[in-house]
Every structure is written in C-alpha cells, then in structure tokens.
Amino acid sequence: MKNFYLSLGLLATLASPLAFAENRTMTIQHLTGATSYFSISVQDDGLLKGTYPGWCVDWATRIEDNTVYNAKFYSSLSEHLPAGVVDKPEHLDEANWLLNQHMVGESSPGGYGIYTSGDMQLALWTLLDDHFQSDTVGPFDQRRVDELVAAALEEDGFVPSCKQIVGVILDPSLPNGENGQTTITEVPRNHFPKCAVPEGDE
C-alpha cells in the first residue's frame, strides 16, 4: 500500500471541494448471469446520480432488492475511510485493479473455465471482508477465485487512470437507522470534474 498512498499524494493536486448531494438514496437489484453481482441505482441531485454495476463488501449484513436506503459514500481512493466501513481497506487498491479488468465472461488462463460473477464476488470478499460464505453466490470455481485474488495481489499500489473506473463505496441504512450491506460501485473516474474523486461523507 505504500506506493498507493504516494500516488494519492499526486492525485491530491487535482482535488477540489467536490461533494455529492446531502439527500441521497439508493436501491439495488441482484442479478443472475450478468457481469456484476447486482446493479446499484443512486438517486442524487449531485455527482453520483446514475445506475452502476455493483458488488457486496460486507457479507454479514443483508441488503434487499427494490428497497430505498439512505446512503453515505466513500471513495476507495480516500486515505480517510472511516474505521469499520471496510474490514480490509489495505486491499482497496488491489480491488480497484480487479474491478478494472472486467474478467466476468473471460477465460481462466489456468484452463478452469469462464469467470463468473460468483468468482468475482468471492474474490472481492477475499480481498476486503473478514468473514464470508461461498454458498450465497451463484456458480463459481474456487480455482478461478484463487487466480483472481493472486493476480490482484500483484497490483499493490494500483490507482485508476482517468479512463478507468474507480470503486465508490456506499454505506446504506434504512430510515429507522438499520444498516444495510456495504457495497462498492464501478464509477468511471471521468464522471468527476478533473477526474478528482470526492473524499466522501463525514
């Protein structure tokens, strides 16, 4: 992660006081046979409005389809991610690299078949979550999962370019304060002015 933080210092020169709207909600839809685990739709009068490919970050917490959640956001490039939002934030650079490879539907170089969204989800949980179970995803092959994780771990210090995507972490909650499952979305960096990604909600 050392190179990652050095790169962030360079990115800081592009930073501007960007902010998403204070009133922001989100819904998710689990997908089957798609290139992401689910889609995430963000209702926001500011920069984040749109529908994006999405993945789970926190296995232990549920999130329901077509349920409106309030949502805080955090850039996966931030040095100031609140404690507990991601179990293993030290691997967010490798997770960003993996998101940018668009491996679902591609052939395993080890000859283990075609990568699935289940493979990708399990690889992301391996990188970012302390505890998870594999029986909650669709088809997967542990050998393909291991390939994805091993390849990602070779990319310590990765920072997406302006032509790539950046993981934006969404921390949802219901109006009664009950937490929803933390998610990560694939947002193009050029979605943001000067490719600077806002730090996130305080």
Side-chain angles (χ1 to χ4, degrees):
M1 291 291 288
K2 185 181 295 182
N3 292 335
F4 174 56
Y5 290 121
L6 289 175
S7 299
L8 282 174
L10 296 176
L11 288 173
T13 61
L14 297 175
S16 59
L18 303 175
F20 296 142
E22 291 183 6
N23 297 318
R24 183 184 320 104
T25 60
M26 62 175 280
T27 58
I28 69 102
Q29 182 69 50
H30 285 82
L31 303 175
T32 302
T35 56
S36 63
Y37 193 58
F38 44 57
S39 65
I40 299 176
S41 294
V42 181
Q43 295 75 47
D44 183 358
D45 293 334
L47 293 171
L48 197 55
K49 184 176 182 179
T51 299
Y52 310 96
W55 305 90
C56 301
V57 172
D58 175 21
W59 174 85
T61 306
R62 291 182 59 83
I63 193 166
E64 302 292 342
D65 287 355
N66 305 314
T67 299
V68 177
Y69 292 88
N70 298 318
K72 294 182 179 180
F73 82 92
Y74 304 99
S75 165
S76 60
L77 302 182
S78 175
E79 294 185 70
H80 308 293
L81 194 68
V85 173
V86 176
D87 286 341
K88 296 188 281 189
E90 66 272 17
H91 291 312
L92 280 167
D93 47 351
E94 292 98 333
N96 265 303
W97 178 84
L98 194 55
L99 291 173
N100 273 283
Q101 305 314 301
H102 308 292
M103 296 298 289
V104 178
E106 298 296 321
S107 297
S108 153
Y112 304 129
I114 302 298
Y115 289 118
T116 66
S117 61
D119 297 329
M120 180 71 172
Q121 181 59 73
L122 287 170
L124 288 169
W125 275 333
T126 301
L127 290 169
L128 301 177
D129 202 2
D130 278 341
H131 174 71
F132 59 92
Q133 293 181 8
S134 60
D135 58 359
T136 57
V137 301
F140 75 95
D141 186 305
Q142 189 61 48
R143 295 170 299 177
R144 296 194 300 261
V145 175
D146 293 343
E147 278 185 332
L148 292 174
V149 172
L153 289 174
E154 293 293 321
E155 301 297 330
D156 180 35
F158 175 80
V159 176
S161 72
C162 287
K163 294 182 179 180
Q164 294 181 300
I165 63 168
V166 61
V168 173
I169 298 163
L170 287 158
D171 186 13
S173 62
L174 292 168
N176 64 6
E178 181 182 344
N179 289 332
Q181 186 179 68
T182 307
T183 64
I184 189 166
T185 65
E186 301 179 18
V187 182
R189 274 204 68 181
N190 60 16
H191 189 93
F192 306 105
K194 298 183 179 179
C195 298
V197 182
E199 282 285 295
D201 291 333
E202 295 297 334

